[in-house]
């Protein structure tokens, strides 16, 4: 659900970064994905009452780290300047 709720912020951030940024496309892509995942994670933390550590690590943080690893690849493909 974090990934689904972060699609719209991710698209907006990539659109803004495409207009111009002072970092490399790989770093910009990584920052964009991390920022959009943060929005999704915040949304779920506010809506979901489950606070068990195992649940948070397995279902929130681990998928976020996996998607954050895709950021540099997406940045290289989507951002060219």
């Amino acid at each position: 659900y974090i990934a689904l709720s972060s699609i719209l912020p991710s698209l907006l951030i990539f659109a803004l970064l495409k207009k111009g940024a002072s970092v490399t496309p790989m770093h910009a892509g990584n920052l964009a994905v991390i920022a959009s995942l943060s929005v999704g994670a915040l949304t779920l933390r506010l809506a979901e009452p489950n606070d068990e550590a195992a649940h948070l690590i397995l279902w929130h943080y681990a998928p976020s780290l996996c998607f954050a690893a895709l950021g540099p690849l997406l940045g290289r493909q989507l951002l060219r300047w």
Side-chain angles (χ1 to χ4, degrees):
Y1 294 117
I2 293 174
L4 289 176
S5 62
S6 66
I7 290 174
L8 181 61
S10 180
L11 292 175
L12 292 173
I13 291 169
F14 271 107
L16 290 173
L17 285 172
K18 201 169 190 176
K19 291 183 178 184
S22 60
V23 294
T24 64
M26 288 178 62
H27 289 123
N30 197 18
L31 293 173
V33 170
I34 289 173
S36 62
L37 285 172
S38 298
V39 171
L42 176 65
T43 303
L44 285 181
R45 287 294 296 141
L46 293 174
E48 186 177 19
N50 194 346
D51 283 336
E52 295 180 24
H55 170 80
L56 292 175
I57 292 170
L58 183 63
W59 293 104
H60 292 255
Y61 300 123
S64 295
L65 288 173
C66 292
F67 281 110
L70 294 175
L73 300 173
L74 290 172
R76 190 183 312 159
Q77 295 298 319
L78 298 175
L79 302 171
R80 309 250 181 197
W81 55 75

